[in-house]
């Protein structure tokens, strides 16, 4: 296939020069030159195919709740998955198998589960974003993460082929899924295997999980926890004990409620967030000799930026 210029690609599932700030919970992000909004597997496949022929890479955007996107023009093609959504369920004895399209909101999966007494994803209660984003980052809480309930993942590979992966053979890590680190691929469907339990029991567990989030600034514009917890400790605790709460750069502020959250309290830029994160890391390093790594995913953050570790 010969190289196409961006404008050779037409159709309702591709748009040009789209402001990404509208698609991130932080409300920051520059203009994407090429922005795909596929609504089914074929459109998703076409987007991946175009990226394969015309770009070195592509970036998958789900709910935008765990990403920091540069303020600059983004040349990497962005594929928004939220148009590919829906859940189907099959109950077999005391098990239920949920086929979730990758762009399905996690909260929709959770509310269906709690209504029916389906257990296994309670650890994800209160987590924003999509199913695809949740599995790519193995989202969860201190008691568990979504990877433990994944039976299958259907993907489109960089070469356009379709693959199915056995979730139980994946070496899930803390906030990571190696499947999406090794090669360029994109999930389009995830099958969760849950257990059918008493509705009250599942609702009770979810309530407890939600109460564990009471210390978090859920009504502010944030991207959840900025840093991963270092082994055996909490990034929030270290940041708090290093005096980071309330620190600001431009319109970005370290939350007074939980130090591992950065709030956009006044039209901040990605650079404000990066600079603030860099100061926080430095403080924790100076006080505790501990290195904090980003939990958030980044796009377009060049090497040499204030905190370009991601
Ligand atoms: N702490 C402080 N100051 C703070 C924040 C926390 O002293 O500003 C202390 C707490 O008092 C507690 C300990 O640190 O003793 C742990 O805090 P918390 O229970 O809030 O848990 P966390 O380790 O900070 C993790 C996940 C959260 C998840 C919560 C609840 C990570 C990086 N964070 O936070 O996940 O919601 O547990 O289960 O794994 C996310 O991934 O985006 C996220 C928010």
């Amino acid at each position: 296939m010969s190289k196409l210029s961006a404008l050779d690609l037409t159709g309702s599932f591709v748009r040009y020069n789209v402001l990404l700030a509208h698609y991130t919970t932080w409300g920051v992000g520059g203009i994407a030159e090429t922005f795909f909004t596929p609504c089914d597997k074929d459109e998703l496949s076409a987007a991946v195919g175009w990226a394969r022929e015309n770009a070195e890479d592509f970036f998958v955007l789900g709910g935008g709740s765990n990403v920091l996107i540069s303020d600059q023009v983004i040349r990497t093609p962005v594929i928004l998955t939220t148009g590919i959504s829906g859940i189907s369920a099959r109950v077999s004895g005391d098990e239920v198998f949920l086929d979730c399209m990758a762009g399905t909101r996690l909260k929709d999966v959770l509310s269906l589960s709690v209504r029916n007494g389906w257990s296994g994803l309670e650890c994800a209660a209160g987590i924003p974003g999509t199913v695809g984003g949740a599995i790519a980052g193995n989202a969860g809480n201190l008691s568990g993460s979504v990877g433990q309930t994944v039976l299958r993942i259907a993907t489109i590979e960089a070469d356009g082929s379709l693959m199915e992966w056995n979730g139980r053979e994946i070496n899930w890590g803390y906030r990571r899924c190696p499947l999406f680190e090794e090669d360029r691929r994109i999930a389009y469907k995830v099958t969760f295997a849950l257990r059918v339990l008493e509705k009250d029991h599942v609702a009770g567990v979810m309530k407890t999980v939600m109460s564990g989030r009471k210390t978090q600034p859920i009504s502010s514009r944030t991207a959840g926890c900025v840093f991963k917890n270092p082994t055996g400790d909490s990034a929030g605790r270290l940041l708090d004990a290093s005096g980071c709460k309330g620190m600001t750069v431009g319109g970005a502020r370290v939350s007074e409620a939980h130090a591992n959250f950065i709030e956009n309290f006044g039209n901040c830029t990605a650079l404000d967030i990066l600079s603030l994160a860099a100061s926080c890391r430095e403080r924790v390093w100076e006080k505790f000799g501990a290195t904090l790594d980003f939990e958030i995913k980044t796009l377009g953050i060049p090497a040499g930026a204030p905190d370009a570790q991601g």
Side-chain angles (χ1 to χ4, degrees):
M1 194 185 201
S2 61
K3 287 234 172 211
L4 299 168
S5 79
L7 290 171
D8 289 327
L9 185 71
T10 58
S12 57
F13 71 107
V14 60
R15 285 154 56 193
Y16 300 98
N17 301 333
V18 172
L19 184 64
L20 295 177
H22 294 314
Y23 294 91
T24 66
T25 53
W26 250 328
V28 306
I31 287 175
E33 282 190 338
T34 316
F35 185 72
F36 291 98
T37 56
C39 284
D40 58 32
K41 196 171 68 179
D42 291 341
E43 289 183 352
L44 184 62
S45 200
V48 171
W50 187 88
R52 178 178 68 243
E53 298 296 333
N54 295 278
E56 281 175 11
D57 205 356
F58 57 84
F59 186 81
V60 185
L61 188 61
S65 55
N66 197 35
V67 291
L68 179 59
I69 299 177
S70 148
D71 307 307
Q72 310 299 315
V73 170
I74 303 296
R75 302 230 145 75
T76 305
V78 174
I79 304 178
L80 183 74
T81 59
T82 49
I84 306 169
S85 69
I87 310 165
S88 60
R90 186 170 59 83
V91 177
S92 168
D94 61 356
E95 278 193 298
V96 57
F97 302 99
L98 292 189
D99 281 337
C100 303
M101 301 310 285
T104 309
R105 298 274 167 186
L106 203 53
K107 72 172 167 48
D108 295 338
V109 184
L110 269 288
S111 77
L112 186 69
S113 300
V114 77
R115 282 206 307 276
N116 289 283
W118 297 335
S119 172
L121 285 171
E122 294 88 331
C123 62
I127 296 180
T130 59
V131 165
I135 59 149
N138 197 15
N141 68 359
L142 299 175
S143 68
S145 43
V146 294
Q148 68 207 25
T149 59
V150 172
L151 184 65
R152 268 192 308 274
I153 304 177
T155 59
I156 295 172
E157 302 293 295
D159 66 2
S161 61
L162 303 181
M163 283 283 286
E164 279 221 347
W165 304 85
N166 182 338
R168 291 177 177 149
E169 287 172 2
I170 293 172
N171 188 16
W172 299 93
Y174 166 65
R175 298 292 180 270
R176 45 183 298 261
C177 174
L179 205 58
F180 300 99
E181 292 171 351
E182 296 155 3
D183 293 302
R184 295 311 301 156
R185 60 171 59 94
I186 185 166
Y188 67 90
K189 189 169 68 182
V190 178
T191 305
F192 295 107
L194 307 184
R195 280 184 309 140
V196 181
L197 297 182
E198 287 297 317
K199 289 181 192 171
D200 287 352
H201 173 79
V202 177
V205 177
M206 290 229 190
K207 219 170 146 188
T208 309
V209 171
M210 289 302 289
S211 70
R213 295 186 188 280
K214 274 200 183 123
T215 54
Q216 300 177 359
I218 46 174
S219 52
S220 307
R221 307 195 82 172
T222 75
C225 285
V226 172
F227 297 104
K228 292 182 186 180
N229 283 342
T231 312
D233 211 332
S234 158
R237 187 194 75 77
L238 293 168
L239 289 156
D240 191 355
S242 307
C244 294
K245 276 186 174 172
M247 277 170 59
T248 63
V249 173
R253 172 176 59 211
V254 178
S255 168
E256 291 282 2
H258 193 300
N260 201 7
F261 286 70
I262 291 182
E263 300 165 329
N264 176 357
F265 73 97
N267 293 324
C268 80
T269 61
L271 193 57
D272 292 342
I273 293 170
L274 272 177
S275 310
L276 185 55
S279 305
C280 289
R281 293 183 87 226
E282 226 170 274
R283 281 199 180 202
V284 169
W285 171 252
E286 277 164 14
K287 188 158 172 80
F288 294 103
T291 307
L292 296 182
D293 293 326
F294 272 158
E295 179 182 312
I296 51 169
K297 312 252 183 266
T298 61
L299 172 63
I301 306 296
D307 191 326
Q309 53 147 329

